Amino acid sequence: MRLCGQAAARAIAYTHDILSGIRELYWPGHINLITALAGHYRCSLAEALDRAVGMCEAQMKRFDRLSKPLAEEGDAALARYVRGLGAWIRGNLDWSMSCGRYHVAAPQPPGELPSLFGG
């Protein structure tokens, strides 16, 4: 159950950083999952974004794999908990895609990491 909850929380956190990444590129000294991956792997922001999306997809697959047996175990409270985790993921995604918080009109990132961090 704990691992299922962790997978849900990670998928949501990764979703936040992926969707807010474009907006945050305009902030001096910004750091999120995308910039951390770009720095760690010494790759472009586009490649780091692909890696972040892959990490998010992996957590969603993990959640799906872990949640199914828990939901089918026969414990009604556990099944409700797992359904609640799924609703949390879905609700977060729906909210993130419809609110103005993550929207950047015609985004044009200001370059790659070295220039962003003064290097």
Side-chain angles (χ1 to χ4, degrees), residues 9 17 19 21-22 24 29 32 35 48 61 63 66 74-75 77-80 85 88 100 104 110:
D17 273 13
L19 294 176
I22 296 294
E24 291 173 358
N32 72 12
T35 56
K61 288 177 185 173
F63 172 78
L66 294 170
D75 182 331
L78 183 57
R80 274 192 309 274
L85 289 174
W88 181 33
V104 176

Side-chain angles (χ1 to χ4, degrees), residues 25-116:
L25 290 177
Y26 294 93
W27 301 348
H30 69 281
I31 297 175
N32 72 12
L33 179 60
I34 298 167
T35 56
L37 290 171
H40 179 76
Y41 290 105
R42 301 203 180 284
C43 64
S44 70
L45 292 174
E47 183 180 336
L49 176 59
D50 287 343
R51 287 177 181 269
V53 169
M55 291 171 62
C56 186
E57 289 173 345
Q59 289 303 315
M60 287 303 303
K61 288 177 185 173
R62 183 173 184 231
F63 172 78
D64 190 49
R65 185 183 80 249
L66 294 170
S67 66
K68 283 184 181 177
L70 292 173
E72 296 168 357
E73 194 170 281
D75 182 331
L78 183 57
R80 274 192 309 274
Y81 174 74
V82 171
R83 283 193 310 273
L85 289 174
W88 181 33
I89 293 169
R90 183 72 239 180
N92 175 72
L93 184 59
D94 289 345
W95 174 79
S96 298
M97 297 303 290
S98 65
C99 77
R101 177 179 179 173
Y102 298 112
H103 180 72
V104 176
Q108 296 194 0
E112 294 300 328
L113 282 178
S115 66
L116 293 175

